[in-house]
Amino acid sequence: MVQVIRAETAGFCMGVDLALRKLERLVQNGPAAAPVCTLGPIIHNPQVLKHYADLGVQEIAEPEELPRKSSAVIRAHGIPRDVQDKLAKRGVHIVDATCPKVKKAQMLIHDRTAKGERSLILFGEPEHPEVAGLLSYAGGEATVIEAVDHFERLSLDPEEDYVLAAQTTQDRTEYNRLISRVQEVLGSEVPVLDTICDTTRERQREAADIAACADAMVVVGGYNSGNTRRLVQVVRSLGTPCHHVEQAHELAPEGFAAAQAIGLTAGASTPKEIIDAVEARLHSFFDD
Ligand code: SF4
């Protein structure tokens, strides 16, 4: 009997779930004539994006592109303050779907740096939209570093006061390494903001646990979804064969011919219905 082991953490995280609920409410109950727009893709899942595009939701890149009287949904990553101001000036109906954990990080940074009293060191990916948003809440100087090693190359002013924060999806172990290094160099009084969301790590830990006892693993999620691709890397790094698919029909029985236990997990932007369909297809390979 072939066993399919499905991860409990597979599928939407709280922030994505909340953002999609807000968009859904707007599509169902908003004024019929007013266009609904999202600033960038609401999530990194092509099937979900197509679903909402078919319902008339428009994806726009800049506030200036918003049609008159439209509703603008801010996605879970949040947006920079100047973009928020532009939205307000345009007089559109704003639906803020920024994840509460990202919001908390923005507010903590603002509270600690608002008067320019401290410079921010932010541990994150420089090109990521969430990082652009977080930086806009810093009242003074701000520097982004991608890795602990980068900190060694910074030319810091020892007379200056600093505060340390991280993008919500950064690895907590790496952040702790950075905290130790920063406090060694700049002193233990440098404040550290607790801005990490452990969702990503818990998902990766469960994927690794399942991969360790499975003959093959399936990871479901957008090919352009960063957190889904990282799950695939985690599984492959353990030597477990891994199939990354967006939808159930991409799987073929030949890929699981010798498997007795198949692991199944999914990225934070993968809908439950798609994961259910993948699980059902895996079971169908062995029904006989
Ligand atoms: S991963 Fe965490 S911070 Fe990011 S949207 Fe999901 S719940 Fe929010």
Side-chain angles (χ1 to χ4, degrees), residues 13-16 76-77 99-102 130 168-169 197-200 268:
C13 65
M14 175 270 288
V16 165
H77 295 315
C99 172
K101 294 185 183 183
V102 175
E130 182 195 323
T168 53
T169 47
C197 162
D198 283 319
T199 302
T200 309

Side-chain angles (χ1 to χ4, degrees), residues 37-258:
C37 302
T38 63
L39 279 168
I42 185 81
I43 60 172
H44 290 142
N45 184 279
Q47 289 74 38
V48 172
L49 294 182
K50 181 175 180 316
H51 168 74
Y52 284 108
D54 290 346
L55 292 172
V57 175
Q58 301 172 28
E59 185 187 316
I60 56 120
E62 301 295 337
E64 293 75 15
E65 296 170 24
L66 282 166
R68 276 171 47 78
K69 296 190 177 162
S70 56
S71 295
V73 182
I74 298 172
R75 58 191 172 159
H77 295 315
I79 54 173
R81 297 176 80 182
D82 64 319
V83 178
Q84 182 116 23
D85 291 345
K86 282 183 194 167
L87 288 180
K89 282 196 189 115
R90 247 181 119 69
V92 295
H93 172 224
I94 302 172
V95 177
D96 190 353
T98 307
C99 172
K101 294 185 183 183
V102 175
K103 200 64 147 178
K104 177 187 149 197
Q106 293 174 342
M107 290 303 113
L108 285 173
I109 289 171
H110 178 259
D111 290 350
R112 280 308 187 108
T113 65
K115 299 188 185 86
E117 66 275 40
R118 287 184 184 274
S119 295
L120 174 69
I121 300 173
L122 181 63
F123 181 40
E125 302 159 74
E127 304 302 324
H128 197 283
E130 182 195 323
V131 169
L134 294 177
L135 288 175
S136 72
Y137 282 82
E141 293 292 310
T143 309
V144 183
I145 55 170
E146 265 188 285
V148 181
D149 300 349
H150 293 180
F151 174 70
E152 313 296 343
R153 299 202 290 271
L154 292 181
S155 44
L156 297 167
D157 179 355
E159 300 302 311
E160 182 102 43
D161 290 324
Y162 291 92
V163 58
L164 184 60
Q167 182 184 351
T168 53
T169 47
Q170 286 298 315
D171 185 275
R172 194 175 278 279
T173 308
E174 284 302 294
Y175 190 40
N176 286 339
R177 276 184 61 212
L178 179 63
I179 293 167
S180 305
R181 195 63 197 119
V182 167
Q183 292 188 333
E184 258 171 50
V185 174
L186 297 171
S188 55
E189 63 283 359
V190 173
V192 174
L193 306 184
D194 181 14
T195 51
I196 286 194
C197 162
D198 283 319
T199 302
T200 309
R201 192 172 188 201
E202 282 159 16
R203 194 179 299 262
Q204 290 176 0
R205 191 185 302 130
E206 193 185 17
D209 288 349
I210 295 175
C213 56
D215 303 307
M217 190 93 183
V218 178
V219 176
V220 194
Y223 294 126
N224 64 345
S225 154
N227 78 84
T228 306
R229 288 205 305 259
R230 275 197 289 277
L231 284 175
V232 174
Q233 280 168 4
V234 166
V235 172
R236 290 194 176 139
S237 71
L238 294 167
T240 308
C242 184
H243 305 257
H244 178 185
V245 294
E246 283 187 351
Q247 295 184 84
H249 67 79
E250 296 167 47
L251 289 172
E254 297 76 39
F256 304 94

